Amino acid sequence: MGAVVVLVAAYFLLPLDLFGPHRPSVSWTVFIAALTAVAVMLLGQIRGVLAERRDIRPGVTIPLLVCLSVLVFSAGYFALAKHPGEFAGLYTRLDALYFTMVTLATVGFGDITAQGQAARLVTILQIVYNFVFLTAAATSLSQWLRERAGERARSRGGA
């Protein structure tokens, strides 16, 4: 839980103003690199669970990586909102985090809307990312938890 607090604090404290319309190449490169890195780490955890490796800790790592992916999208939305016409209603980091969570939960209240083509592209990317990576990660984590629960039940029954 402490690591999640550190990640969220970093999101609110990092100088995200360095990204945005004045540095589009850097902004897109960092966003894509960060998402790719998180996706690769998630895939490593998923593969580890499927291979039943004992040297991984998906119960800790997967939730942290899911949190990190949410924060990467939030930072991307925050930087993208500095471009005129990309978002309506997204002005702060909290707005960006809120929009990311609403999109992740598929709620879509409509109070913040992606209006520009880049904003819509990133929103579509988040939806696909959620379906592919976060769903696979959640499935792997639940499988791992079921296996650990089964092991504990067998060890108690045999003792």
Side-chain angles (χ1 to χ4, degrees):
M1 186 56 123
V4 171
V5 171
V6 169
L7 287 174
V8 173
Y11 166 74
F12 281 101
L13 296 174
L14 284 173
L16 297 178
D17 295 330
L18 298 175
F19 304 104
H22 55 286
R23 290 184 160 161
S25 297
V26 172
S27 299
W28 282 106
T29 301
V30 170
F31 176 71
I32 291 167
L35 265 187
T36 301
V38 174
V40 167
M41 289 186 279
L42 278 169
L43 287 174
Q45 290 295 307
I46 293 164
R47 286 179 52 208
V49 169
L50 293 175
E52 297 180 5
R53 288 181 32 208
R54 294 291 183 189
D55 62 328
I56 62 169
R57 297 187 51 182
V60 173
T61 308
I62 289 176
L64 284 175
L65 291 172
V66 169
C67 178
L68 187 56
S69 68
V70 166
L71 296 174
V72 168
F73 274 106
S74 295
Y77 290 135
F78 181 71
L80 196 54
K82 295 179 184 314
H83 294 264
E86 289 297 333
F87 278 99
L90 198 157
Y91 307 107
T92 67
R93 291 175 199 231
L94 188 59
D95 290 341
L97 184 57
Y98 166 79
F99 180 76
T100 305
M101 293 302 294
V102 166
T103 302
L104 175 64
T106 69
V107 176
F109 292 124
D111 52 343
I112 297 175
T113 56
Q115 295 184 327
Q117 296 302 295
R120 289 178 178 182
L121 175 65
V122 174
T123 305
I124 290 168
L125 178 62
Q126 183 193 349
I127 293 166
V128 171
Y129 187 94
N130 293 347
F131 282 137
V132 174
F133 294 103
L134 300 188
T135 301
T139 301
S140 294
L141 180 58
S142 66
Q143 176 184 334
W144 181 80
L145 289 170
R146 278 193 308 273
E147 289 170 3
R148 296 298 89 61
E151 288 172 6
R152 285 186 183 143
R154 284 189 297 276
S155 70
R156 281 190 217 138

